């Protein structure tokens, strides 16, 4: 098979491979690197020996991501507890076709935050089995465990996800109403109205980026989060509606400069989690030109 035909076959699987890598790594740039490395390995392989190309590619990208996660874990500069995954930012009207595969199965930032707490083998087992229906026998070969031990890895990960990342409310319009009420209260400096839309146990995670500890924090509780939101009311006029990983959120862009991206988890009609990415380096790496006008 010539390279042109091989590239065509690979492109048929690119969306799925990028979706696997994004769930594994929580980084859009690293996901693209993993997909590119998968292509390079395919180009060096005799495809005649591959009976199931889709399965082979999924296994290869999973192995690459596992190695990347393990390498990440050995770095001296360990990530902060407040580190947030890369968000997928879409227009408020709906997710574009290019992001549909990436965000299938409601992959919100809250889920990716929980996945970040898993060890690499647990994350791989959960992502490949629960999200992409890869058999435990195949995953076991990647993590060098027995199928039974691999099943236990996925089971532990599943329990963590179910405990820490329950599903948000299904009604997207109602979620938007709650988020809009939050911004309206923030803009007005109305502390009571802010508390009213926040779950008493709400958690706010702010990631200001490496070397900016003053801009990174985890704040817990409705009163504490409302106090923080009230102090940021000067930014409220610059809120631009967006979908962040498929759920209502906002891009904050004063004076044609994106300073933060905010995503929300709404459950039971109240905001239970807020994620704020304010890392200038990572914001510049995202394609946010549509929000600068």
């Amino acid at each position: 098979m010539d390279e042109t035909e091989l590239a065509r076959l690979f492109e048929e699987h690119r969306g799925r491979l990028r979706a696997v890598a994004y769930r594994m790594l929580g980084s859009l740039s690293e996901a693209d690197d993993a997909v590119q490395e998968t292509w390079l390995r395919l180009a060096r392989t005799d495809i005649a020996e591959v009976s199931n190309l889709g399965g082979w590619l999924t296994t290869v990208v999973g192995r690459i991501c596992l190695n990347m996660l393990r390498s990440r874990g050995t770095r001296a500069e360990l990530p902060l507890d407040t580190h947030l995954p890369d968000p997928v930012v879409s227009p408020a009207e709906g997710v574009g076709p290019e992001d549909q595969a990436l965000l299938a199965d409601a992959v919100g930032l809250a889920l990716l935050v929980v996945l970040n707490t898993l060890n690499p083998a647990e994350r791989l087992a959960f992502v490949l089995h629960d999200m992409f229906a890869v058999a435990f026998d195949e995953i076991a070969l990647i993590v060098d465990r027995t199928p039974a031990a691999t099943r236990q890895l996925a089971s532990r990960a599943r329990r963590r996800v179910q405990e820490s990342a329950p599903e948000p409310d299904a009604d997207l319009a109602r979620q938007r109403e709650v988020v809009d009420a939050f911004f309206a209260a923030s803009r007005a400096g109305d502390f009571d109205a802010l508390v009213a839309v926040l779950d008493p146990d709400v958690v706010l995670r702010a990631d200001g980026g490496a070397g900016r500890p003053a801009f990174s924090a985890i704040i817990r509780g409705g009163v504490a989060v409302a106090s923080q939101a009230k102090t940021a009311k000067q930014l409220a006029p610059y809120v631009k509606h967006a979908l962040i990983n498929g759920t209502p959120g906002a891009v904050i862009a004063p004076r044609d400069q994106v300073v933060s991206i905010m995503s929300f988890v709404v459950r039971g009609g109240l905001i239970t989690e807020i994620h704020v990415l304010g890392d200038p380096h990572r914001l510049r790496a995202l394609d946010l030109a549509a929000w600068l006008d």
Side-chain angles (χ1 to χ4, degrees), residues 68-88:
M68 292 173 74
L69 285 176
R70 287 171 171 168
S71 174
R72 182 189 294 175
T74 62
R75 295 173 187 167
E77 65 280 9
L78 295 177
L80 297 170
D81 290 341
T82 53
H83 177 78
L84 292 174
D86 285 350
V88 177

Side-chain angles (χ1 to χ4, degrees), residues 133-187:
V134 178
F136 285 122
D137 288 355
E138 297 177 43
I139 301 171
L141 296 175
I142 303 175
V143 296
D144 196 24
R145 309 279 182 97
T146 65
T150 304
R151 186 184 298 273
Q152 287 300 313
L153 289 174
S155 179
R156 287 199 299 269
R158 192 178 306 117
R159 285 196 300 271
R160 183 84 62 83
V161 168
Q162 290 171 346
E163 291 169 359
S164 304
E167 293 291 329
D169 291 349
D171 188 337
L172 202 62
R174 176 56 184 152
Q175 289 185 54
R176 172 56 70 188
E177 289 176 4
V178 174
V179 172
D180 285 350
F182 170 88
F183 282 120
S186 177
R187 186 164 46 247

Side-chain angles (χ1 to χ4, degrees), residues 214-285:
F215 296 91
S216 298
I218 298 177
I219 302 173
R220 303 179 188 276
V223 172
V225 172
S227 298
Q228 179 68 25
K230 187 178 176 182
T231 63
K233 69 177 183 178
Q234 67 272 18
L235 294 177
Y238 305 105
V239 169
K240 299 175 185 292
H241 286 178
L243 290 177
I244 310 300
N245 287 61
T247 60
V251 175
I252 316 300
R255 296 177 294 279
D256 287 338
Q257 180 180 0
V258 175
V259 297
S260 64
I261 293 172
M262 298 182 68
S263 71
F264 299 79
V265 178
V266 178
R267 287 193 288 268
L270 296 174
I271 295 170
T272 59
E273 296 184 39
I274 304 174
H275 303 111
V276 184
L277 178 62
D279 181 340
H281 175 74
R282 291 172 63 199
L283 290 173
R284 284 193 296 269

